Amino acid sequence: MSYESYFSERREQQLEELKEFLRIPSISALSEHKQDMVKAAEWVAGKLAAAGLENVKIHQTAGHPIVYADHLHAPGKPTVLVYGHYDVQPVDPLHLWETPPFEPTERDGKLYARGATDDKGQVFLHIKAVEALLKQEQQLPVNVKFCIEGEEEISSPSLLTFLNEKQELLATDAVLISDTSLIEKGKPAISTGLRGLCSLELTINASNTDLHSGTYGGGVPNALHAMVELLASLHDKQGRITVEGFYEGVPELTAAMHEEFEKQKFNEEQLKKTLGLGNLYGEEGYSFVERTGARPTLELNGVWGGFQGEGTKTVIPKEAHAKITCRLVGQQDPQRILDAIIAHLHANVQQGVKLTVKPGEKARAFDMDPSIPLLQTAADAYEAVYGTRALFTKDGGSIPIVETFSRQLSAPVIMMGFGLPDENLHAPNEHFNLENFDKGLLTIVEFLKRV
């Protein structure tokens, strides 16, 4: 039986299984979902065992469980480690969901639910692809290991410890990840780069209480004024970040890299229309895909303080707050970037107020040479199924563990995504296009056979 026929016959059954997975509210960031995290790990372990994987084990950690399994019966053949995550983002704001986030719903060839594309749907593809190979051929063309964790959405703290302690268990010739997307419908992509990350939260305190703006206005510091002024100092009018030393370690884009980005033929006008924007914004001299794939950023994620209720309250707020994240590229060191930003903030804050800074996440950028044979094999596998060879792209997001996998396991990381950029990952109405569910299964089978 062809693999097309195999998956076609089992499509409805497999979609029902995926819906079971999606009904589990495995939100790693919220402590009230701790038991749901255990349930999701057990579900993954059960499906791996049912697929024919061996040595299936749920490893307890200081946080959420990690599921491991393998099938090592291809002597002399490469070993591929499949990595993914079963945790999902919180669902807020709930009122913007057209259907409940943990009640999977099919509409217009798409499956809607939290985790549908990030990353439960894509993890599920790998389990079912391996199951198909074993059922069809009673053996795998390569050795396979699975490592599925429950903390990717909170920066994988337990996985770092697990990787250090279980490096021999996870030893591999390549790491295979599906947690990225195609360029657009019908145009597959293999990400050869991910931006790094660092974050911080800052608080400005002025007076020891909120003050009446008639009695004190114009005569005392205003925490919100000080915050707005300070945040405005972080960029110039050309969109460049003004923090001293911020661009150290950032590689300049070569002519060849510009050309590779141009191959994507990205439609900026369509993006503006889709997002309801009059103009795009960013560092001068770069296209949208270059800004989001190969240039670093400093973004405000939240700014608040003072009166937030209905109507007017003539108050001078005593404090103001902001959250900042940076996406990093090349050899930028997250700690050095944090230190530079903190120094800039202290040097530029308004006199008469107190600034407190709390550093957050840190992750290095990841970069892979697209000429590596396994990456070329992956591009060929996409072409065999989609009829279009995958382009090699740089992804603007961050998957912190990818760089660690590559470095500690000394193995190339192959990011074969099957999502689409507009599938609302991390947002209301997240969904997975079922065309890529079908083609993703075939592509993974094709890749493993070609390896």
Side-chain angles (χ1 to χ4, degrees), residues 10-124:
R10 293 161 176 78
R11 188 176 194 267
E12 293 309 312
Q13 172 197 330
Q14 292 185 346
L15 283 175
E16 285 306 311
E17 289 181 50
L18 175 55
K19 289 175 185 178
E20 286 178 14
F21 194 15
L22 294 170
R23 289 189 185 102
I24 304 170
S26 48
I27 304 171
S28 54
L30 302 179
S31 58
E32 60 261 36
H33 288 283
K34 187 172 179 62
Q35 287 308 308
D36 294 314
M37 300 301 296
V38 172
K39 184 178 179 181
E42 291 173 344
W43 191 96
V44 171
K47 291 302 174 185
L48 287 167
L53 276 296
E54 301 171 344
N55 300 310
V56 180
K57 184 176 180 180
I58 297 174
H59 293 264
Q60 301 302 325
T61 73
H64 301 305
I66 293 170
V67 185
Y68 173 85
D70 61 36
H71 194 279
L72 308 176
H73 299 289
K77 301 294 179 64
T79 298
V80 175
L81 172 67
V82 177
Y83 162 80
H85 63 94
Y86 63 82
D87 64 321
V88 300
Q89 283 277 328
V91 297
D92 309 274
L94 187 59
H95 71 278
L96 293 181
W97 286 81
E98 292 183 28
T99 50
F102 296 110
E103 293 181 17
T105 306
E106 289 183 54
R107 297 196 302 273
D108 303 320
K110 302 170 184 177
L111 180 59
Y112 286 80
R114 172 59 88 226
T117 190
D118 181 24
D119 183 39
K120 288 180 176 178
Q122 301 201 55
V123 165
F124 186 76

Side-chain angles (χ1 to χ4, degrees), residues 182-189 386-389 420 435-436 439:
L182 284 69
I183 295 172
E184 60 183 50
K185 178 181 168 65
K187 291 179 66 174
Y386 282 83
T388 302
R389 198 167 193 271
L420 285 174
E435 175 187 10
N436 292 319
K439 291 184 175 180

Side-chain angles (χ1 to χ4, degrees), residues 101-380:
F102 296 110
E103 293 181 17
T105 306
E106 289 183 54
R107 297 196 302 273
D108 303 320
K110 302 170 184 177
L111 180 59
Y112 286 80
R114 172 59 88 226
T117 190
D118 181 24
D119 183 39
K120 288 180 176 178
Q122 301 201 55
V123 165
F124 186 76
L125 296 179
H126 288 275
I127 297 173
K128 290 302 170 183
V130 168
E131 179 180 77
L133 283 162
L134 285 170
K135 285 188 180 300
Q136 290 272 87
E137 304 181 31
Q138 288 72 55
Q139 61 183 3
L140 295 181
V142 293
N143 300 295
V144 170
K145 299 178 178 179
F146 277 79
C147 178
I148 312 299
E149 66 149 325
E151 296 180 353
E152 192 275 341
E153 300 292 4
I154 54 173
S155 299
S156 305
S158 299
L159 185 59
L160 294 172
T161 302
F162 184 75
L163 182 54
N164 287 330
E165 293 176 351
K166 306 289 186 180
Q167 195 155 333
E168 186 174 338
L169 179 70
L170 299 176
T172 186
D173 296 300
V175 181
L176 178 58
I177 300 174
S178 293
D179 198 7
T180 52
S181 67
L182 284 69
I183 295 172
E184 60 183 50
K185 178 181 168 65
K187 291 179 66 174
I190 297 171
S191 177
T192 60
L194 294 166
R195 291 194 287 188
L197 177 73
C198 65
S199 66
L200 63 156
E201 184 173 337
L202 52 150
T203 298
I204 286 179
N205 292 95
S207 52
N208 57 10
T209 184
D210 288 352
L211 298 170
H212 189 288
S213 66
T215 305
Y216 293 95
V220 298
N222 181 314
L224 278 174
H225 290 185
M227 179 65 80
V228 170
E229 177 186 330
L230 181 58
L231 297 178
S233 76
L234 292 167
H235 294 85
D236 65 19
K237 297 294 185 183
Q238 288 71 47
R240 278 185 66 85
I241 296 154
T242 56
V243 174
E244 185 176 352
F246 186 88
Y247 289 96
E248 290 178 13
V250 176
E252 288 301 318
L253 290 186
T254 63
M257 294 169 72
H258 279 294
E259 184 179 342
E260 197 65 30
F261 279 111
E262 287 173 4
K263 286 181 184 177
Q264 296 184 32
K265 295 182 171 57
F266 188 84
N267 190 331
E268 294 191 0
E269 291 302 316
Q270 182 59 49
L271 177 65
K272 288 192 287 186
K273 183 178 178 181
T274 300
L275 299 180
L277 293 171
N279 278 301
L280 299 180
Y281 170 82
E283 192 180 1
E284 281 189 0
Y286 299 94
S287 67
F288 173 82
V289 289
E290 289 169 345
R291 290 170 182 164
T292 58
R295 299 296 295 171
T297 67
L298 187 156
E299 296 286 350
L300 308 181
N301 307 124
V303 181
W304 70 98
F307 179 62
Q308 306 289 313
E310 185 179 356
T312 301
K313 184 180 182 184
T314 53
V315 65
I316 297 173
K318 68 172 186 174
E319 63 185 34
H321 309 268
K323 290 180 183 286
I324 294 173
T325 54
C326 298
R327 300 290 180 169
L328 310 178
V329 301
Q331 298 304 310
Q332 285 182 296
D333 182 328
Q335 185 59 58
R336 189 171 54 77
I337 295 298
L338 281 173
D339 292 342
I341 295 171
I342 293 169
H344 175 99
L345 293 171
H346 281 290
N348 289 273
V349 70
Q350 186 183 109
Q351 290 188 355
V353 300
K354 178 186 176 183
L355 172 67
T356 305
V357 181
K358 180 183 176 183
E361 301 167 283
K362 292 182 291 184
R364 285 186 171 272
F366 165 76
D367 196 54
M368 184 66 60
D369 182 354
S371 68
I372 291 172
L374 280 172
L375 289 172
Q376 294 295 321
T377 300
D380 293 338

Side-chain angles (χ1 to χ4, degrees), residues 3-15 18 120-133 176 178 381-382 385-386 416-418 432-449:
Y3 283 96
E4 289 88 343
S5 298
Y6 173 92
F7 288 121
S8 178
E9 287 184 4
R10 293 161 176 78
R11 188 176 194 267
E12 293 309 312
Q13 172 197 330
Q14 292 185 346
L15 283 175
L18 175 55
K120 288 180 176 178
Q122 301 201 55
V123 165
F124 186 76
L125 296 179
H126 288 275
I127 297 173
K128 290 302 170 183
V130 168
E131 179 180 77
L133 283 162
L176 178 58
S178 293
Y382 273 114
V385 175
Y386 282 83
M416 299 180 68
F418 298 99
F432 191 22
N433 281 261
L434 295 180
E435 175 187 10
N436 292 319
F437 175 88
D438 298 328
K439 291 184 175 180
L441 289 164
L442 294 170
T443 304
I444 294 167
V445 167
E446 185 72 25
F447 173 70
L448 293 176
K449 291 178 75 173

